Amino acid sequence: MANYYQPEIETASREQIIEIQNKKLVKQVKHAYENVKYYRDLMNKKGVKPEDIKTIEDIKKLPFLSKDDLRETYPYGMLAVDLKDCVRIQSTSGTTGKRVVAFYTQHDIDLWEECCARAIVAVGGTKEDVCHVSYGYGLFTGGPGLNGGSHKVGCLTLPMSSGNTDRQIQFMLDLGSTILCCTPSYAAYLGEALAEKGYKPEDNKLKAGIFGAEPWTEMRRSIEKSLGIKAYDIYGLTETSGPGVSFECEEQSGMHINEDHFYAEIIDPETGEVLPEGEKGELVFTSLDKEAFPLIRYRTRDICVLSRKKCSCGRTHVKMSKPMGRSDDMLIIRGVNVFPSQIENVLLSAGYTPNYQIFVDRVNNTDTLDVYVELTPEQMQESDDEKAAREKLLVGAMRSMLGIGAKMHLVAPHTIARSEGKAVRVVDNRKLHD
Ligand code: ADP
Ligand code: ZN
């Protein structure tokens, strides 16, 4: 029977980690150079040979990889082993364009599931738990990743996948789910659906939730309240294997990166310059021991900060802040940079529901920004004057956060479509006029 505990590597000293990273990087670069022509050409173009890479510090000599490289080499161009040695593919959600396909050997699957198992252990998971996985199964990495991690920990795994909310609730209550894994937007929806059926937070046995795959901000507290749990963040991307590259511990203040498998850098997205620790920039990952799909200096386009501040959980691995949005999520509205997460922050801090949608358009050559947000049933009861006052307050708060005006629309509960996977928060209709 599986009985998985936090591995020692998570509390290893900085020196031990660096030693492991040094060794693994040398091997990983050699592996990619020898087996991936596209990568070899990139290295040659930059005039760097595998022999030039002796320690992790030498990583700066290597070229970056981007999503465009992966699209260009689709489907097999980045494969570093024989196809017959691969056992699985997964694919991105295609949030920002053509999907990317990633390949896995059995070793790669084990490595990924190990990372997810660490995430489950970090939220208190043991073989006593019932782990309810409502991430989508299939090409999307969420379901398979947490499913594998849950098996490793020895939890009773409920492979629910997304959708069919009535069945989710029935199994959750009948089988006593204790850990819920899904996107934060679906967790919020499940909380809402439970309340609508007359269940109180104490009617379920859930104690923790592992929520990721999309940005979420102050939503944490409302999910915790509605489900009666502690909500933890988990991060990853298909290209690096899937969720579990980093995860939150009990401190809930940033996600520990599995540094023995992934090396993180923060760069200036404009210049590519590596920024000192603590500065905000684009997150770049290097896989250290992947076989089928090694990724060296991969630009995630996620904007965040790294921190080595001592963590009370005892883990020594570096922490990344919650991504503040992707550099390509950023909207430029009337010349001003706007991140959807800033809008979410304003709405949730002002006590609104996490059910909102942002519409951007262009009228008479001017960009327009319309934000729709649902009122709670209690807010809905207020008088028209009270609602008008709310709207005025929100317009002011948006202007001070974003630096530009937004038209606010306070709408009735259930007006905005719910999402079972990654939520569609932004509809940018400007492209239609180009
Ligand atoms: P796609 O790029 O098509 O969405 P993935 O499904 O692989 O493909 O998604 C990976 C991306 O999801 C990350 O690069 C990041 O932008 C986002 N993401 C994943 N986890 C989180 C998280 N916990 N917080 C914010 N964003 C996240
Ligand atoms: Zn910690």
Side-chain angles (χ1 to χ4, degrees):
M1 281 294 276
N3 210 355
Y4 180 90
Y5 300 106
Q6 179 187 337
E8 277 174 15
I9 188 77
E10 288 191 79
T11 52
S13 70
R14 183 91 195 97
E15 294 69 37
Q16 282 170 308
I17 294 283
I18 291 172
E19 202 186 314
I20 291 172
Q21 289 177 334
N22 288 343
K23 280 199 192 118
K24 286 190 174 180
L25 180 72
V26 171
K27 252 178 97 178
Q28 183 85 128
V29 170
K30 192 160 174 275
H31 175 58
Y33 187 86
E34 285 171 1
N35 297 296
V36 183
K37 180 179 177 308
Y38 187 86
Y39 194 68
R40 183 162 60 243
D41 290 346
L42 277 185
M43 275 179 65
N44 286 340
K45 217 162 108 195
K46 214 161 180 240
V48 48
K49 293 265 170 286
E51 307 78 84
D52 301 329
I53 308 302
K54 296 189 184 73
T55 71
I56 200 80
E57 282 301 310
D58 295 323
I59 201 164
K60 296 194 183 73
K61 300 176 184 162
L62 294 164
F64 290 113
L65 280 172
S66 69
K67 206 156 197 153
D68 287 340
D69 292 307
L70 303 190
R71 288 186 178 131
E72 200 169 312
T73 52
Y74 171 92
Y76 298 126
M78 291 299 280
L79 193 60
V81 295
D82 282 348
L83 198 54
K84 66 174 172 3
D85 293 325
C86 295
V87 296
R88 175 98 67 83
I89 70 146
Q90 302 283 165
S91 166
T92 57
S93 317
T95 315
T96 56
K98 193 174 154 193
R99 287 162 185 267
V100 166
V101 174
F103 296 83
Y104 304 71
T105 62
Q106 187 56 50
H107 157 95
D108 297 334
I109 297 279
D110 291 341
L111 182 160
W112 173 28
E113 292 181 353
E114 158 87 23
C115 291
C116 290
R118 291 182 191 177
I120 294 171
V121 168
V123 307
T126 69
K127 58 185 284 196
E128 309 287 332
D129 281 294
V130 178
C131 186
H132 185 118
V133 185
S134 309
Y135 283 112
Y137 280 63
L139 288 171
F140 177 55
T141 53
L146 270 308
N147 189 91
S150 170
H151 274 233
K152 234 173 174 305
V153 176
C155 304
L156 172 64
T157 310
L158 307 191
M160 299 301 302
S161 196
S162 53
N164 201 336
T165 302
D166 282 346
R167 189 177 62 195
Q168 302 268 1
I169 289 179
Q170 189 196 333
F171 276 28
M172 176 185 291
L173 299 177
D174 293 351
L175 299 172
S177 306
T178 56
I179 298 177
L180 173 65
C181 308
C182 59
T183 56
S185 47
Y186 194 53
Y189 178 41
L190 279 172
E192 181 183 54
L194 276 163
E196 272 166 14
K197 286 181 185 293
Y199 294 110
K200 298 197 185 63
E202 56 272 24
D203 294 334
N204 72 66
K205 289 216 169 70
L206 290 173
K207 60 178 189 188
I210 304 182
F211 307 129
E214 63 183 8
W216 52 308
T217 58
E218 294 302 315
M219 213 201 259
R220 186 199 301 266
R221 299 298 162 218
S222 67
I223 295 174
E224 289 189 329
K225 218 166 121 202
S226 70
L227 291 170
I229 58 169
K230 276 190 93 175
Y232 299 90
D233 207 352
I234 185 167
Y235 169 91
L237 53 166
T238 313
E239 296 89 322
T240 55
S241 48
V245 168
S246 65
F247 56 83
E248 264 183 349
C249 62
E250 65 223 31
E251 226 189 53
Q252 291 180 304
S253 63
M255 297 177 271
H256 288 287
I257 295 174
N258 282 305
E259 282 191 285
D260 50 330
H261 296 305
F262 301 100
Y263 181 76
E265 298 170 274
I266 294 286
I267 63 164
D268 177 331
E270 304 291 328
T271 63
E273 181 203 348
V274 179
L275 298 176
E277 194 198 303
E279 284 202 25
K280 184 165 94 177
E282 181 180 348
L283 184 60
V284 172
F285 273 117
T286 296
S287 66
L288 292 172
D289 41 15
K290 276 173 71 188
E291 290 180 345
F293 205 66
L295 268 197
I296 294 165
R297 300 198 94 195
Y298 182 66
R299 295 185 58 159
T300 63
R301 298 186 286 187
D302 292 322
I303 304 293
C304 73
V305 179
L306 296 182
S307 158
R308 289 205 175 274
K309 242 175 64 201
K310 196 162 185 270
C311 187
S312 59
C313 78
R315 287 177 183 79
T316 48
H317 291 192
V318 68
K319 285 206 267 194
M320 60 180 268
S321 66
K322 192 181 269 301
M324 299 159 196
R326 306 183 185 198
S327 50
D328 48 12
D329 266 352
M330 191 181 78
L331 296 159
I332 302 182
I333 302 174
R334 282 170 245 145
V336 176
N337 299 347
V338 173
F339 279 100
S341 57
Q342 294 175 300
I343 295 178
E344 180 175 304
N345 251 324
V346 171
L347 295 175
L348 297 178
S349 328
Y352 290 88
T353 67
N355 302 310
Y356 67 93
Q357 213 165 16
I358 302 163
F359 287 82
V360 188
D361 208 339
R362 190 175 304 136
V363 179
N364 298 333
N365 278 327
T366 305
D367 295 334
T368 57
L369 170 62
D370 287 77
V371 180
Y372 288 76
V373 62
E374 284 182 8
L375 293 166
T376 60
E378 299 77 58
Q379 292 166 343
M380 199 60 200
Q381 303 304 321
E382 294 173 356
S383 69
D384 287 347
D385 281 353
E386 281 169 316
K387 284 188 194 134
R390 280 187 168 281
E391 195 180 306
K392 207 168 152 212
L393 263 178
L394 260 186
V395 168
M398 283 292 170
R399 180 177 290 283
S400 66
M401 169 66 100
L402 308 175
I404 55 165
K407 192 150 186 241
M408 297 303 309
H409 305 261
L410 303 177
V411 297
H414 288 288
T415 316
I416 294 166
R418 301 295 185 263
S419 141
E420 293 169 350
K422 296 197 190 214
V424 180
R425 298 295 193 192
V426 182
V427 180
D428 190 344
N429 285 323
R430 289 177 298 184
K431 322 190 232 308
L432 302 176
H433 314 302
D434 291 338

